[in-house]
Structure formats: structure tokens, C-alpha cells
Amino acid sequence: MPRTGGDPVTTRHEITGRSAGPRVDPLGEPFLQTRFALPATPATFLRRPRLAERLDQAFETPLTMVNGSAGAGKTLLVADWAARLGQPVAWLTNEAGSQGCGVFWAYVLQALRAAEVPLPADLGCPGEAHRVDHKLLARLADELSARERPVVLVLDEFDRVTSARIAEQLEFVLHHAGQGLRLVLVTRTEPLLPLHRYRAAGAMTEIRDAELAFTVDEAAALLDRHGLRLPAEATRALVERTRGWAAGLRLCALAAPQSPDPETYLKDFEAGRSPIADFLLAEVLKRQPVRTQDLLLRVSVVERFTPALVAELTGRGGAEQDLAALHGQNAFVEDLGHSWYRLHPLFGEILRVHLRVRSPGLETELHRRAARWLRDSGALAEALAHGAAAGDWNFAAQALVDDLAIGRLFTGLRASELVELFSRMGPEATTAAADLVRAARDLSAYDVEHGLVQLRRAEKRLAAEPDPAGRLSCLLLQSLAARLTGSPGMAERAVAAAEELRGEVSAQLLDKHPEFTALLLTHLGSARLWAGRFDDARAVLAQVVACPSGVSTALPREDALGQLALIDYLDGRLCRAEHTARAARREAEKYGLERPHSCGSGLGQLVLAAVAVERGELGDAQALLDEAADAGVPRDPVTAAGRSLATARLLLSRGEPRAAAAAADPAVPALATSPWARAQTALVASAAQLAEGRPDSALKVLDDVSRDGAYACAAEMAWARLAAGDREAAVDLLDDVRTQGRTGPGTIVRAALVRAEATRESDAGTARRVLARALREARRERLRRPFLEAGPGIRHLLDTPPLQGLAAGWLTPRGSPGAAEEASSPVVEELSGREREVVGRLADLMSTEEIAADLYVSVNTVKTHLKSAYRKLGANCRAEAVRRARDHGLI
């Protein structure tokens, strides 16, 4: 029986400062609040107790399915039942057409929030239309499973959800939510869920066409509500002919009063007629006044309409009364609330076909009118679709540019849809806006050559047009092109010009599109980083990180954080680089965004890999590089250099100098040379030469790098020169380290190693003191590589007291007495089977949430297993636990 009364119960998870959730969906559009509202039942609705009692069983089974044909009365049945429950019900009406996983789950979460279901403020929301992070679903299921009173979630018109992936995700949440969720599907077709399992377990309530069909008594009561009283035999005959179909009965009830002999009319109507189309055209459309017929035909080209849009399409005002009357007559015009209406989809489709026959060519003009009205109303996505349907590409391109929305092609907001939409634009579009959209389309595919051609064409046309939004859009694309081609000067000029133009565009428009400024500054930061201007790059990238957080800025923020992490790494600040790189990763994960081909994609992972190499964690480094490889080939020089650097360092540490030298050069050409990238490449080449016993060749490689170019890695260059036998040059570079003030821990450690090696033979005491300072500095950062590659002289000093104690437990190489003692130390207690599974997934770099989802347990359960495994292994962190488990053959 239904459970009534009371407020939602907050259980295991304490909710403080509950958030109303995001205001826009993953497509960047405001949530349509009407999709969360219970449909209103008309005055002629007939409540059928036998079906209401069947729906009451929904509280006893996790899944309820109301499956029937179009017009079977499913939605109103469930809406009436839900309205009488006495407790909030989360309702979501699915939209027609394809929808991605991200859009679907964003609306589900919003439906739950609209029903006042307490959800944590930090739960997050899908940020990409066609993807949702599995961790978000696992956490949602965990939150629901903790409820004492189940949430009732109704998914109306679920037949519009045709994605097998969405069905799998829904099954996952339903299964793991347990008693905390009661799911009601209202659908015309069999959903793609494993229904056989629910049926076999008796965990499913079903109401199908046979039960939805009206009985003779119910049909008589329905007809009576429409003012029709027929003899019992006539009613029985009508039920037999219509097979109790709710829509058919209602259509008959609407049409029959127009006839002088309703009983005869009903009999003739059913005899020899084609399905519903003939009736709708002949008995619904043509029985309306000519003015109303014209209105219905014209609004059939749009998905939804308001009286103002109707006026635009018909050229007449006063549509409010017409629409209210059509809705009141149940003439297949649905009231969505807030003065918005829509046609029954089947009725709209039939009307569009009839419009093409009745008024050839008018449909194109109606699309054009709708596009302009929708653009002026702020519904850009719908305006673009109608502009494309009208073949008016100049309008569509101009609308996108005027809205300053060209950045959406690069931020995940409708990016793929926009690219697909404008891929159909032909050469007939000849405006500057059309050229800009073509350039953006080409640059989003990293076709820089064609993108620059389109940009130059747009620049010429914009020179003669007072179009601030167009010129700003052009400058954004120029900054991207500058970044992709490694042209810092071009990026500086573009951003400076954009700054001067900002005052000519409304602040409201700029506030509406925070991704525009974020993208512009991110590209400038990348160009400055490529040029080796680290401080200037950090300043502008910090502005991106400080910009408003949200779906539209998530990718630029991730990009900026990845670049900041690279600067920290190059400055020798491993812990800070690691922290920033992980923040970059979380920024994308927060919204479930995945743009494998975006600029800067995977840079944070590359920095984490490089940090792992510096710490001697080569297995972790390889795993991170493999993960970054899924992002595709780097398209901008900074990311390409980051991948080359991390890969080459890993190969050097593995004793593969030739492969390291081959991997050192960035794969993406650049117009300007990067001083730090060139110096890093020289360092790898020099190390490779030294590893193969060619110190003269190593020195020659280093001589090709100017002193100015080596400033970003002066301490490393000093060590390389010392190792190659050039002590004087090494000491000079150490002086540069002092004057430049780049005193990150990595820089300090490498500089100390050079001084220790330089004084080792002449003053061993001083060398030990310098090494002691280096060990203390390196231990905080877990920096191992410089010591492991320092040579036998330094390693000999490290084996002497008190340095041996400072190095023990974190630095001592494998095979030394300290390492052997550490590796042979037993675990405190044998790991359980589940603990081995959890630690094994740590080795696969899975997060806690991912492990929980993979093992079908809660996040708290995973944390409990981790705590126990750490204790048994004598470990304090994930990496140490994995290493010790491997040492003991546990994984």
C-alpha cells in the first residue's frame, strides 16, 4: 500500500547546505521545468480503481512498468496515482529524439532535486551530453540505498530512451539502490532492461495493454463524462471495435457530438477507416475553424510553442484563447505550463505531411520565422536547428557568432552537435560569420591549415563590418591557432586586441559565456609557457582557474591546471605539481567530461607520469602514460613536449638511452622554438650519449643549447655538464640557479648533487653536509631519480653514516642492505581475498569510487578495506601499499 505523509528522511549521509543543483543541462540549456511536473488530468479523466490498486504494488517491487500503445492512457493513469500518494514523487518526462547519457542523468538528478529528495551538494552533475561518469552513478545509488523511505521515480515516455547504455546505467542504479528506489517506467515499447530477471524474482509490477484497455463499464463512464449516453450494446460494440483503446474512445467521444446521430456516426467512423491519420485530418483538423486549422498546420514545424511564437508563424495575434480552447477540447494540444504548448507528436507529424501537400514551400518559410523568433527569445540551440532546416546558413552562423557562443565548439557544450550541424553548410553561406564558423569547425578538428585560410577570409570581411562579437570570435580563433602553431607573438597580439574590444560587447553577453574568456586566457597561457615565460604564464593561467566554475569552463580549467602543473614540475616542485595535476583531473571528472582531442587533454596525466619517474615509480609512470595515450596524439606543442619529456625520462630510467633520445623531440612542429623544450631534449640526448660512453658527444649536444635556453633546467644542465667532464661550465650554471631564484626542491637537490660531486674528492666532509641537505629536501618530495643516477661516487657517500640513515626507507636502491631489509619485512597479517582485490585495483590506478563501482560495494566499504590493507602491509599511502603487495607476491 502507498505510504503517505511525512517529510523525506535524511539518513546515513548528513546533508548540510543542500544545493538546488545546476541551472543548465549538459547542452548548456536551462532545465525545462515542465519536464518535472506531474501532467494535469483533464476534467473528463476517468479514474479506474482497478489500475490504481495495481500501481499501489509499486511500493512492494523495485520496478514497475506501465507498457501500452500510444494513447492507451498510461501517463494520466500514473500521474493521477502519483498525485494522490501524499508524498513527493520525482517525475521526468523524456523528450523526443536522441539524447545522450549525460543529458538523461542530468535530468534525472534534477527531477530528484525538484521532488526535494536530499542529495549531497557535491554530488556533481554530468557535464557532457553523451557521457556520464560511472562514479557519479555509483554514488547516486549509494545515496539512495541509505534511505529509510524509498524514492518514487517516474520516467514517463521512456520509449523515447533508445540507448542501450542508458538502460544499462539505469539497471545499475536500480540494482544498487536496493530498497531506496522504486522506479516506474511509462513506455510504449519493451525497455532494454533485463526484465526476465525481475519477473523471475517476483520483483516487478506490470501493467500492459490488456489491462489498460477500457472495459465496457469504464467506456460508458468515459463517454458519459463527454456528454454521450449510449445504449449498453452500442457501448459494447464500440469497445470491441476500438479494443478499449483510450485515445480511440476519446476521439470518438470528441467527434460524435458533431453528428446528429452519434450512435450511427460511431459505427460508421470505425468501419473501413484507415488508422488515426484519416480521423485526425477529417474529423479533428477540418472541423476546426479555418483560422484554427491554419494555426495547427503552422505550429506543426516546431517542437513547442507559445502564443508569441504562434503570432510569428501565423502573422496574427490573439492565439492565447485559441490554444487554451484547443487544450480544453483535448484536441491533441498539450499544455506544458508557463504558456508553452506542444502538439501530440503523432498529430504534429501528420500535420506536417498535410502542410507540405496543402502549401508547398511554406514549411521552409515557417522554419525561417521560427529561427528568428527563437534567437530573439534566447533559445539559441532551437534557433540554429530551425535556421539549418530552412537552409539559411548565413542566419545560423550569424546567430552563433552574435551570441558569442563560438567557444561552444571547444568546451563540450553541444560541440559535436554544432560541428555536425554546420558540416552541412555549403559554399552558399558567404558572410564573415560563416567563415568564422568554418574556421572554428576546422580548428576543432585540428585542421590548422584550412582553419587559417578561413580565418584570413573572415578577417578581410570583418574589416569592413562593425561587428564586435565577430571580431572577438575571430581573435579567440586566432589565439587557438597561435597556440597550435607555437606562435607566442601571435597569441599575445590576439589577446591584447580582444582586451581592447571587450568594452564594445555587453557585459551580460560575456557573463553568459564565461568559457570565451577562459579559452582565450588558456591559449595565451599555453603560448607563454611554450615561450618559457613561466611567471607570465602562471599569472594568466591562475585567472582561468579563478574563473566561475561550471560545465562551460571545466575543460579550460582542466587545461590551465595541467599547464600550471607542468610549470611546477619544470621548477622542481614535485608535490605541488602532483597536487595541481590531480586537481586538473578532478575538474574534468566532476562533470564527467571526456574530450580526447581537446587542447591540453591529458597534460595532467603526463605531469603525474613525469613526477612518478622522478620518484622512481616506473610502473606507475608507464600506467599513467598509457592512460594519457587514450587522449590521442597531442595537438599543441606544450602537451606534445610534456609527453615527449615524460616518455624519454621513463626510457632513460629503464636503461633504454637510444629509445629515450628518439622519443625526446615533440611530435608537433612549432613556428617558435621553446627554450625549455629544447634544453630538455638536449638533456635527454646528452644522457643517452653518456650512457653509451661518449662524453665528447654529450658535451657537443649541450653546447648547442644557449645559456638563455637552459634557464628552466639550469641545475640539470649543470649536472649533465659535470657528468660529461665540464666542471667549470657546471659551476657557472649553478651560479645561474642562484640568480634566477628558481629554488624549487628539485632544483635545490640537483644543485646540491653537483656541488657534492665537485667537492667529493677534495672535501668529503663538505660533500656529506651538502648531501644531507639534499636528502632532507628530496625526502619531502620523494625525489629519487637524481640520486639513483648520480654515479658511484655519490652512492658511496650515501652508504656512509649519517647519510645512510637519511636515505633509508625511501631512497635506498633495490639490492642494497637497506632495501633488502625493507623488502624482506613481513606483512603484519595476511590480506583477505577482498583486500587483495581492492589493492589490485589500486595498482590499476583506479579511484576509490571506481573500485566501489567495479566491485559493486559502497565507497565506505572500499575505504574500510583500504585501511585494513594499509595496516597489514605496514604502508601509509596507495603507492607504498601497491609496492609492498607486489614485493610479497600478493598482486
PDB file of all heavy atoms in Angstrom, residues 566-583:
ATOM      1  N   LEU A 566      52.610  21.497 -15.051  1.00  0.00           N
ATOM      2  CA  LEU A 566      53.848  21.341 -15.814  1.00  0.00           C
ATOM      3  C   LEU A 566      54.881  22.382 -15.394  1.00  0.00           C
ATOM      4  O   LEU A 566      56.083  22.076 -15.260  1.00  0.00           O
ATOM      5  CB  LEU A 566      53.556  21.453 -17.307  1.00  0.00           C
ATOM      6  CG  LEU A 566      54.771  21.339 -18.239  1.00  0.00           C
ATOM      7  CD1 LEU A 566      55.482  19.995 -18.027  1.00  0.00           C
ATOM      8  CD2 LEU A 566      54.353  21.509 -19.696  1.00  0.00           C
ATOM      9  N   ILE A 567      54.435  23.618 -15.166  1.00  0.00           N
ATOM     10  CA  ILE A 567      55.369  24.656 -14.706  1.00  0.00           C
ATOM     11  C   ILE A 567      55.959  24.258 -13.355  1.00  0.00           C
ATOM     12  O   ILE A 567      57.169  24.388 -13.124  1.00  0.00           O
ATOM     13  CB  ILE A 567      54.658  26.019 -14.614  1.00  0.00           C
ATOM     14  CG1 ILE A 567      54.223  26.496 -16.003  1.00  0.00           C
ATOM     15  CG2 ILE A 567      55.564  27.060 -13.963  1.00  0.00           C
ATOM     16  CD1 ILE A 567      53.371  27.752 -15.989  1.00  0.00           C
ATOM     17  N   ASP A 568      55.111  23.770 -12.449  1.00  0.00           N
ATOM     18  CA  ASP A 568      55.612  23.327 -11.143  1.00  0.00           C
ATOM     19  C   ASP A 568      56.632  22.201 -11.308  1.00  0.00           C
ATOM     20  O   ASP A 568      57.667  22.178 -10.626  1.00  0.00           O
ATOM     21  CB  ASP A 568      54.447  22.843 -10.269  1.00  0.00           C
ATOM     22  CG  ASP A 568      53.584  23.981  -9.764  1.00  0.00           C
ATOM     23  OD1 ASP A 568      54.102  25.107  -9.665  1.00  0.00           O
ATOM     24  OD2 ASP A 568      52.395  23.752  -9.489  1.00  0.00           O
ATOM     25  N   TYR A 569      56.364  21.283 -12.211  1.00  0.00           N
ATOM     26  CA  TYR A 569      57.301  20.183 -12.439  1.00  0.00           C
ATOM     27  C   TYR A 569      58.636  20.710 -12.963  1.00  0.00           C
ATOM     28  O   TYR A 569      59.706  20.314 -12.487  1.00  0.00           O
ATOM     29  CB  TYR A 569      56.706  19.185 -13.418  1.00  0.00           C
ATOM     30  CG  TYR A 569      57.707  18.158 -13.901  1.00  0.00           C
ATOM     31  CD1 TYR A 569      58.057  17.073 -13.115  1.00  0.00           C
ATOM     32  CD2 TYR A 569      58.328  18.304 -15.153  1.00  0.00           C
ATOM     33  CE1 TYR A 569      59.001  16.144 -13.549  1.00  0.00           C
ATOM     34  CE2 TYR A 569      59.264  17.386 -15.593  1.00  0.00           C
ATOM     35  CZ  TYR A 569      59.600  16.312 -14.788  1.00  0.00           C
ATOM     36  OH  TYR A 569      60.533  15.401 -15.212  1.00  0.00           O
ATOM     37  N   LEU A 570      58.578  21.593 -13.948  1.00  0.00           N
ATOM     38  CA  LEU A 570      59.812  22.132 -14.514  1.00  0.00           C
ATOM     39  C   LEU A 570      60.578  22.971 -13.494  1.00  0.00           C
ATOM     40  O   LEU A 570      61.809  23.077 -13.565  1.00  0.00           O
ATOM     41  CB  LEU A 570      59.490  22.967 -15.754  1.00  0.00           C
ATOM     42  CG  LEU A 570      58.943  22.178 -16.954  1.00  0.00           C
ATOM     43  CD1 LEU A 570      58.474  23.123 -18.044  1.00  0.00           C
ATOM     44  CD2 LEU A 570      59.995  21.214 -17.487  1.00  0.00           C
ATOM     45  N   ASP A 571      59.863  23.539 -12.528  1.00  0.00           N
ATOM     46  CA  ASP A 571      60.511  24.286 -11.450  1.00  0.00           C
ATOM     47  C   ASP A 571      61.044  23.366 -10.350  1.00  0.00           C
ATOM     48  O   ASP A 571      61.639  23.846  -9.383  1.00  0.00           O
ATOM     49  CB  ASP A 571      59.523  25.283 -10.829  1.00  0.00           C
ATOM     50  CG  ASP A 571      59.461  26.577 -11.632  1.00  0.00           C
ATOM     51  OD1 ASP A 571      60.312  26.767 -12.516  1.00  0.00           O
ATOM     52  OD2 ASP A 571      58.555  27.392 -11.376  1.00  0.00           O
ATOM     53  N   GLY A 572      60.787  22.059 -10.475  1.00  0.00           N
ATOM     54  CA  GLY A 572      61.287  21.106  -9.495  1.00  0.00           C
ATOM     55  C   GLY A 572      60.433  20.977  -8.261  1.00  0.00           C
ATOM     56  O   GLY A 572      60.913  20.518  -7.224  1.00  0.00           O
ATOM     57  N   ARG A 573      59.148  21.350  -8.343  1.00  0.00           N
ATOM     58  CA  ARG A 573      58.247  21.261  -7.198  1.00  0.00           C
ATOM     59  C   ARG A 573      57.305  20.071  -7.416  1.00  0.00           C
ATOM     60  O   ARG A 573      56.171  20.242  -7.873  1.00  0.00           O
ATOM     61  CB  ARG A 573      57.470  22.566  -7.024  1.00  0.00           C
ATOM     62  CG  ARG A 573      58.370  23.789  -6.907  1.00  0.00           C
ATOM     63  CD  ARG A 573      57.568  25.080  -6.822  1.00  0.00           C
ATOM     64  NE  ARG A 573      58.441  26.251  -6.915  1.00  0.00           N
ATOM     65  CZ  ARG A 573      59.096  26.787  -5.898  1.00  0.00           C
ATOM     66  NH1 ARG A 573      58.985  26.261  -4.691  1.00  0.00           N
ATOM     67  NH2 ARG A 573      59.864  27.842  -6.080  1.00  0.00           N
ATOM     68  N   LEU A 574      57.779  18.890  -7.060  1.00  0.00           N
ATOM     69  CA  LEU A 574      57.044  17.674  -7.404  1.00  0.00           C
ATOM     70  C   LEU A 574      55.721  17.570  -6.671  1.00  0.00           C
ATOM     71  O   LEU A 574      54.704  17.216  -7.275  1.00  0.00           O
ATOM     72  CB  LEU A 574      57.899  16.440  -7.098  1.00  0.00           C
ATOM     73  CG  LEU A 574      59.216  16.276  -7.861  1.00  0.00           C
ATOM     74  CD1 LEU A 574      59.756  14.878  -7.651  1.00  0.00           C
ATOM     75  CD2 LEU A 574      59.046  16.565  -9.342  1.00  0.00           C
ATOM     76  N   CYS A 575      55.708  17.833  -5.385  1.00  0.00           N
ATOM     77  CA  CYS A 575      54.463  17.701  -4.626  1.00  0.00           C
ATOM     78  C   CYS A 575      53.403  18.675  -5.131  1.00  0.00           C
ATOM     79  O   CYS A 575      52.232  18.313  -5.284  1.00  0.00           O
ATOM     80  CB  CYS A 575      54.717  17.914  -3.133  1.00  0.00           C
ATOM     81  SG  CYS A 575      55.547  16.511  -2.352  1.00  0.00           S
ATOM     82  N   ARG A 576      53.831  19.903  -5.397  1.00  0.00           N
ATOM     83  CA  ARG A 576      52.870  20.878  -5.895  1.00  0.00           C
ATOM     84  C   ARG A 576      52.412  20.509  -7.305  1.00  0.00           C
ATOM     85  O   ARG A 576      51.233  20.657  -7.628  1.00  0.00           O
ATOM     86  CB  ARG A 576      53.484  22.285  -5.885  1.00  0.00           C
ATOM     87  CG  ARG A 576      52.432  23.370  -6.006  1.00  0.00           C
ATOM     88  CD  ARG A 576      52.953  24.706  -5.522  1.00  0.00           C
ATOM     89  NE  ARG A 576      53.742  25.371  -6.547  1.00  0.00           N
ATOM     90  CZ  ARG A 576      54.286  26.582  -6.396  1.00  0.00           C
ATOM     91  NH1 ARG A 576      54.143  27.219  -5.235  1.00  0.00           N
ATOM     92  NH2 ARG A 576      54.981  27.142  -7.352  1.00  0.00           N
ATOM     93  N   ALA A 577      53.326  20.015  -8.120  1.00  0.00           N
ATOM     94  CA  ALA A 577      52.950  19.575  -9.463  1.00  0.00           C
ATOM     95  C   ALA A 577      51.947  18.432  -9.385  1.00  0.00           C
ATOM     96  O   ALA A 577      50.954  18.400 -10.124  1.00  0.00           O
ATOM     97  CB  ALA A 577      54.188  19.140 -10.249  1.00  0.00           C
ATOM     98  N   GLU A 578      52.193  17.491  -8.486  1.00  0.00           N
ATOM     99  CA  GLU A 578      51.268  16.366  -8.333  1.00  0.00           C
ATOM    100  C   GLU A 578      49.899  16.845  -7.878  1.00  0.00           C
ATOM    101  O   GLU A 578      48.863  16.425  -8.415  1.00  0.00           O
ATOM    102  CB  GLU A 578      51.833  15.367  -7.326  1.00  0.00           C
ATOM    103  CG  GLU A 578      50.932  14.169  -7.091  1.00  0.00           C
ATOM    104  CD  GLU A 578      51.474  13.254  -6.019  1.00  0.00           C
ATOM    105  OE1 GLU A 578      52.099  13.762  -5.054  1.00  0.00           O
ATOM    106  OE2 GLU A 578      51.281  12.028  -6.121  1.00  0.00           O
ATOM    107  N   HIS A 579      49.873  17.713  -6.887  1.00  0.00           N
ATOM    108  CA  HIS A 579      48.606  18.237  -6.364  1.00  0.00           C
ATOM    109  C   HIS A 579      47.820  18.960  -7.461  1.00  0.00           C
ATOM    110  O   HIS A 579      46.602  18.757  -7.617  1.00  0.00           O
ATOM    111  CB  HIS A 579      48.885  19.186  -5.206  1.00  0.00           C
ATOM    112  CG  HIS A 579      47.666  19.880  -4.684  1.00  0.00           C
ATOM    113  ND1 HIS A 579      46.749  19.264  -3.853  1.00  0.00           N
ATOM    114  CD2 HIS A 579      47.198  21.142  -4.895  1.00  0.00           C
ATOM    115  CE1 HIS A 579      45.777  20.112  -3.578  1.00  0.00           C
ATOM    116  NE2 HIS A 579      46.028  21.244  -4.186  1.00  0.00           N
ATOM    117  N   THR A 580      48.496  19.801  -8.225  1.00  0.00           N
ATOM    118  CA  THR A 580      47.819  20.567  -9.273  1.00  0.00           C
ATOM    119  C   THR A 580      47.345  19.655 -10.396  1.00  0.00           C
ATOM    120  O   THR A 580      46.245  19.848 -10.944  1.00  0.00           O
ATOM    121  CB  THR A 580      48.763  21.648  -9.828  1.00  0.00           C
ATOM    122  OG1 THR A 580      49.287  22.416  -8.747  1.00  0.00           O
ATOM    123  CG2 THR A 580      48.021  22.572 -10.782  1.00  0.00           C
ATOM    124  N   ALA A 581      48.154  18.667 -10.759  1.00  0.00           N
ATOM    125  CA  ALA A 581      47.758  17.735 -11.815  1.00  0.00           C
ATOM    126  C   ALA A 581      46.532  16.929 -11.405  1.00  0.00           C
ATOM    127  O   ALA A 581      45.642  16.663 -12.218  1.00  0.00           O
ATOM    128  CB  ALA A 581      48.920  16.804 -12.154  1.00  0.00           C
ATOM    129  N   ARG A 582      46.482  16.530 -10.142  1.00  0.00           N
ATOM    130  CA  ARG A 582      45.303  15.787  -9.683  1.00  0.00           C
ATOM    131  C   ARG A 582      44.075  16.687  -9.649  1.00  0.00           C
ATOM    132  O   ARG A 582      42.945  16.243  -9.902  1.00  0.00           O
ATOM    133  CB  ARG A 582      45.574  15.177  -8.311  1.00  0.00           C
ATOM    134  CG  ARG A 582      46.643  14.101  -8.343  1.00  0.00           C
ATOM    135  CD  ARG A 582      46.643  13.245  -7.086  1.00  0.00           C
ATOM    136  NE  ARG A 582      47.742  12.300  -7.107  1.00  0.00           N
ATOM    137  CZ  ARG A 582      47.749  11.171  -7.812  1.00  0.00           C
ATOM    138  NH1 ARG A 582      46.709  10.867  -8.563  1.00  0.00           N
ATOM    139  NH2 ARG A 582      48.786  10.363  -7.773  1.00  0.00           N
ATOM    140  N   ALA A 583      44.268  17.958  -9.339  1.00  0.00           N
ATOM    141  CA  ALA A 583      43.154  18.911  -9.385  1.00  0.00           C
ATOM    142  C   ALA A 583      42.626  19.049 -10.812  1.00  0.00           C
ATOM    143  O   ALA A 583      41.421  19.165 -11.028  1.00  0.00           O
ATOM    144  CB  ALA A 583      43.600  20.271  -8.851  1.00  0.00           C
TER     145      ALA A 583
END
